Amino acid sequence: MPQKKIYLLRAGFNGSKFQISEKLKEEINKIYELGLELAQPKAVCETYKIDSLPKELIPKSFEGVNSITFFVSTLGYEIDHYISNANTLSSMLMDAWASEAIEAFNESIDKKLRKDFGKGTRRFSPGYSDIDVRKNWDIVNNLLKTEVVVVNKDTGIITPRKSTVCMIGWYDE
């Protein structure tokens, strides 16, 4: 899960510029611990040979790869529920915590995959560069065939909110 320093930076506390009151420190720590309790991290991964994939799912920057691992990751709906129903400060802190938590979770998946597969591309998500964010739906429903998240087919938006679709291309197997 996220480092407290990174969580605080995401929440807007820029290093030593701010004096944080004891009451605020208590809230920051409470949200950090609550995030650990509420998070239900799940991931689904699958690796495909490059020639078995539709061209529109292969980023131009993945030229020369032999296969691509697609994965979807989520922290689950409890985090969303909390963010939607808590007071403004608690919601903002939980949103920051969860943003860093999903990134830390993705980083752990990335490291494990690189250990297993070797040299690969950078981790990439639809919506950046040349893969349309609406391809999230195709990846989740047609490739990964999972219900761990729900993707709006028209927009590519994923729920729960703290969820991602990622891919990494592999040069050697």
Side-chain angles (χ1 to χ4, degrees), residues 114-159:
R114 289 180 194 286
K115 185 178 176 188
D116 293 346
F117 289 97
K119 186 178 180 196
T121 64
R122 66 188 168 94
R123 183 170 15 119
F124 180 91
S125 292
Y128 295 96
S129 191
D130 58 332
I131 304 297
D132 192 308
V133 70
R134 292 173 292 185
K135 293 301 176 188
N136 282 337
W137 191 91
D138 295 317
I139 294 165
V140 169
N141 292 285
N142 296 333
L143 288 180
L144 298 174
K145 297 181 178 145
T146 183
E147 295 178 359
V148 73
V149 298
V150 175
V151 181
N152 179 303
K153 189 173 186 174
D154 296 326
T155 65
I157 303 288
I158 308 167
T159 54

Side-chain angles (χ1 to χ4, degrees), residues 70-101:
F70 291 87
F71 70 89
V72 60
S73 58
T74 185
L75 297 180
Y77 285 101
E78 292 300 316
I79 297 280
D80 280 9
H81 181 73
Y82 185 85
I83 291 170
S84 295
N85 294 295
N87 67 53
T88 303
L89 175 62
S90 297
S91 292
M92 184 270 304
L93 289 171
M94 184 62 79
D95 184 70
W97 181 89
S99 292
E100 291 305 320

Side-chain angles (χ1 to χ4, degrees), residues 20-30:
I20 300 176
S21 70
E22 284 305 311
K23 186 175 180 183
L24 184 53
K25 282 182 188 176
E26 287 176 20
E27 184 68 13
I28 288 166
N29 290 331
K30 179 188 105 179

Side-chain angles (χ1 to χ4, degrees), residues 9-76:
L9 283 170
R10 171 75 71 151
F13 297 98
N14 191 5
S16 60
K17 279 184 170 180
F18 294 97
Q19 286 295 99
I20 300 176
S21 70
E22 284 305 311
K23 186 175 180 183
L24 184 53
K25 282 182 188 176
E26 287 176 20
E27 184 68 13
I28 288 166
N29 290 331
K30 179 188 105 179
I31 294 300
Y32 191 94
E33 290 180 20
L34 184 58
L36 292 172
E37 290 175 29
L38 294 177
Q40 299 167 336
K42 292 184 178 110
V44 175
C45 291
E46 196 66 50
T47 303
Y48 299 88
K49 292 283 189 191
I50 196 79
D51 55 6
S52 70
L53 293 168
K55 298 276 186 244
E56 63 269 11
L57 296 182
I58 305 169
K60 289 183 178 98
S61 62
F62 281 28
E63 185 176 337
V65 302
N66 296 318
S67 58
I68 298 177
T69 298
F70 291 87
F71 70 89
V72 60
S73 58
T74 185
L75 297 180

